[in-house]
Amino acid sequence: MMLALAVALIAMVAITCGTWPLLNRAGLARRSEFSSIFQTAVRWNSFMALAIAQKIFPPAGMAVVALVMAVIIIPINLVTVVLVTRFADRSTNWRRIGRDLAINPMILGSLAAILFRCLPFQLYGPLNQTLGLVGNAALGMGLLAIGAGLRVGDLWQPRFALVLPVILKLVLFPTLLIGAAIAFGVTGIELSYLALCAAVPTAMNGYLLARQLGGDAELYAAVTTVQTAVSFLTIPAVLSIAAQIVG
């Protein structure tokens, strides 16, 4: 499952980066816009995936989503920080990029989680319970943040820079991941777990990254709005296709 995920993610990054020369030559996207196109095409909304998995899958489904988060959050943030920084400022140096990577909260949080999980002993009971309560609250707060960040007016202003990442994220990536999973022999309900991870829209936290590093935050918010609205149709479609393949 993780090999399929890695292959699909690498292919998605390569395909999305490959669109830049075409978009630039045709005048369909500016440098700052492409950084948001890239982010919204490769990031994924883990909070939404967790919430859906909790409702429709057995507990193993949430465990798989959490494992996917641990595997891909760090590389996705490494790639997006480098790309957004470079596209926002061509003259930026690797020292600044390294600093941005070192203080990225998603990277630090994921590394801390992996470290805690690998410890040969359990955390102090009250501390472990406190972290559990914070984690449970984070899921609901994340879903509220998604709703608060949506801008319905953007649904009526379609343009190529807005439509492209919607197609890449909600159509191409599920196709890549399901295809890679089948190629690696993933069967049964595990295929549906991966399909859910592929089908969810982009994450809201990329908006903050775009604002901090000089990307097109407005385009990011617009794409997130459209992807979230469209995903109400595409998520059931992708899960239905995966169920048919499983069957």
Side-chain angles (χ1 to χ4, degrees):
M1 291 174 68
M2 296 304 105
L3 284 174
L5 179 67
V7 169
L9 184 60
I10 291 171
M12 190 65 189
V13 169
I15 291 171
T16 306
C17 287
T19 64
W20 166 240
L22 301 176
L23 295 173
N24 186 38
R25 195 176 303 120
L28 295 173
R30 301 187 302 272
R31 288 181 64 88
S32 60
E33 287 182 327
F34 180 74
S35 65
S36 289
I37 290 174
F38 179 84
Q39 278 210 90
T40 51
V42 302
R43 285 185 177 275
W44 69 296
N45 197 316
S46 55
F47 284 118
M48 186 177 290
L50 282 171
I52 296 173
Q54 186 179 37
K55 293 295 183 182
I56 68 174
F57 290 139
M62 288 191 67
V64 169
V65 173
L67 180 60
V68 170
M69 291 170 64
V71 170
I72 73 172
I73 282 179
I74 293 177
I76 282 180
N77 278 275
L78 290 173
V79 173
T80 53
V81 168
V82 172
L83 187 137
V84 173
T85 304
R86 293 292 294 178
F87 269 78
D89 183 3
R90 297 186 188 185
S91 62
T92 191
N93 54 49
W94 286 102
R95 182 178 179 180
R96 180 192 169 189
I97 293 176
R99 183 199 64 192
D100 292 335
L101 292 173
I103 63 176
N104 184 282
M106 296 296 291
I107 295 176
L108 295 177
S110 297
L111 288 174
I114 294 172
L115 174 63
F116 288 152
R117 185 64 183 87
C118 294
L119 290 176
F121 54 86
Q122 292 187 350
L123 293 176
Y124 176 56
L127 174 61
N128 195 31
Q129 185 176 5
T130 300
L131 292 175
L133 292 173
V134 172
N136 291 334
L139 179 56
M141 292 174 64
L143 293 174
L144 287 173
I146 294 168
L150 299 183
R151 303 191 310 177
V152 179
D154 293 320
L155 296 175
W156 317 114
Q157 301 174 4
R159 61 186 191 274
F160 192 80
L162 188 150
V163 174
L164 178 61
V166 175
I167 297 174
L168 291 175
K169 181 68 188 74
L170 300 183
V171 179
L172 179 60
F173 188 55
T175 302
L176 289 174
L177 184 50
I178 291 175
I182 294 173
F184 279 97
V186 178
T187 59
I189 196 170
E190 288 81 8
L191 182 63
S192 296
Y193 297 159
L194 287 182
L196 171 61
C197 293
V200 292
T202 193
M204 285 296 296
N205 52 31
Y207 174 80
L208 300 176
L209 189 68
R211 287 183 62 90
Q212 292 173 351
L213 302 183
D216 193 328
E218 296 299 317
L219 177 61
Y220 194 102
V223 173
T224 304
T225 300
V226 176
Q227 282 191 8
T228 304
V230 174
S231 69
F232 278 92
L233 301 176
T234 58
I235 291 176
V238 170
L239 292 178
S240 296
I241 293 172
Q244 290 295 322
I245 294 173
V246 171

